[in-house]
Amino acid sequence: EKPMAVSAGQCADMIAAAEAAGCTLMVAHFQRFREPNAAAARALREGRIGAVRLAQQRLLELPNNKPWQLEARSVGFFLGYGVHGIDLLRFWTGAEITEVAGFAHRIRGNPTEDGAQALLRFASGATASLLATDSLPEGKSRKSPGAAGLWSLLIGDQGILEVDSYGETVLEAGGERQVIGRLPAWPSLTSPERIRAYREQDQAFVEAVLRGTAPPISGAEGMKNVAAACALYESARTGAVVRLGQ
C-alpha cells in the first residue's frame, strides 16, 4: 500500500527482502489508474501540451479521526495522502524530483501533520507546488462518498491540462478546450465506477506475478515517492531546501 513506508530506509529494506525471496513487489498507487489521471498521462505521452514547465496541485480531504493515522509514527497527511500527488507528478512528467522545500502544520493539534505545502523541482527543470490537508472546515462537503478532492494543473509549452482526479480532464491547446477523460460519480463505496481503478491496479500486479515481468509501480518507485514526502518534513524542520538523489 502507499505510502510504502515512513522512511526511504524502510523502503530499501523491503526491496532487498523481496529480491532475496524472489518475490514481486508493487506499490499500490491506484491514482495512476483513475481514468482522468490516465487520460492526462496519455495526452502527455502524445505530446499534446509539449513539455511540462509548471504544475500545481491541491489534495483536500475532510478531517480524519482514525486513531492509527493520528499516531505520531504515522507522520502525517502529506506522507499518507500527499504522496498521491508526488507519484502522479513523477508519473506524468517522467522526471525525478531533485529539490523539495515547504512547510508542515498541525492544524488540529494532533501528533501528526495535517496540512502541508511543498515546492518541487524536477530534473527536467519543471517546478510544481502541492497543497495537501485533511483539515477542511466543518461543513465542507465532498462530491461523492469516500472521495478526496485532487486537482492538478499542468502547464506545458504548447498547452494546458486541467485534471480533476474525481471528475474530468480538460485539454486546452491550439485555442480549443476538450474533455479527454471523465470519471462518473459513484453512489456508494462499492460502485463499479469507484472500484475500477483498484481492479485495474490489482490486475496489473497479478499479471506481473504470473508473467514474471516488472510491475508498473516498482518498489523503487514507491521509495522515491516516500523520499520526496520525507524531504518535505525535513525542509519544514530545517527551513532549508532538501536535495534528492545526491
Side-chain angles (χ1 to χ4, degrees):
E1 256 295 350
K2 63 81 205 161
M4 185 175 173
V6 297
S7 73
Q10 290 178 346
C11 294
D13 290 343
M14 294 167 70
I15 293 170
E19 290 177 348
C23 294
T24 299
L25 176 61
M26 176 173 156
V27 185
H29 281 288
F30 76 90
Q31 286 289 357
R32 293 194 187 191
F33 297 86
R34 284 267 186 250
E35 176 52 28
N37 300 331
R42 292 192 295 269
L44 289 165
R45 285 198 303 269
E46 295 165 1
R48 300 182 72 178
I49 69 166
V52 175
R53 303 303 186 191
L54 297 165
Q56 188 178 64
Q57 284 188 326
R58 291 179 295 144
L59 200 165
L60 309 178
E61 181 59 283
L62 295 175
N64 167 39
N65 295 309
K66 297 184 179 70
W68 62 271
Q69 288 191 334
L70 300 179
E71 294 180 14
R73 60 181 177 172
S74 290
V75 185
F77 185 76
F78 191 81
L79 176 62
Y81 291 81
V83 73
H84 277 313
I86 291 172
D87 183 67
L88 283 175
L89 288 169
R90 291 183 53 255
F91 174 52
W92 285 332
T93 64
E96 298 301 341
I97 298 170
T98 58
E99 295 178 81
V100 180
F103 302 92
H105 306 272
R106 294 180 181 178
I107 299 171
R108 292 182 284 143
N110 294 316
T112 55
E113 164 269 319
D114 54 8
Q117 296 192 77
L119 289 174
L120 313 173
R121 187 188 299 275
F122 294 79
S124 63
T127 59
S129 64
L130 172 55
L131 181 156
T133 183
D134 68 342
S135 292
L136 296 181
E138 185 177 353
K140 176 67 176 177
S141 63
R142 303 174 183 174
K143 294 183 298 180
S144 56
L150 176 54
W151 298 270
S152 305
L153 176 67
L154 304 172
I155 301 176
D157 49 23
Q158 298 175 29
I160 295 172
L161 280 169
E162 300 172 10
V163 187
D164 178 350
S165 296
Y166 294 90
E168 296 180 340
T169 290
V170 178
L171 168 69
E172 183 173 350
E176 297 183 356
R177 285 174 59 88
Q178 64 178 120
V179 175
I180 61 172
R182 178 181 288 111
L183 179 66
W186 55 74
S188 73
L189 296 180
T190 56
S191 298
E193 293 83 3
R194 177 175 184 270
I195 298 301
R196 177 182 172 185
Y198 301 102
R199 184 180 69 245
E200 292 182 356
Q201 169 192 262
D202 294 349
Q203 186 61 40
F205 173 65
V206 169
E207 291 177 0
V209 173
L210 294 177
R211 297 174 181 174
T213 56
I217 311 172
S218 67
E221 294 267 317
M223 182 168 65
K224 290 175 182 177
N225 294 332
V226 168
C230 290
L232 175 280
Y233 296 119
E234 183 179 349
S235 176
R237 179 179 59 84
T238 64
V241 174
V242 177
R243 291 174 173 80
L244 300 175
Q246 299 182 359

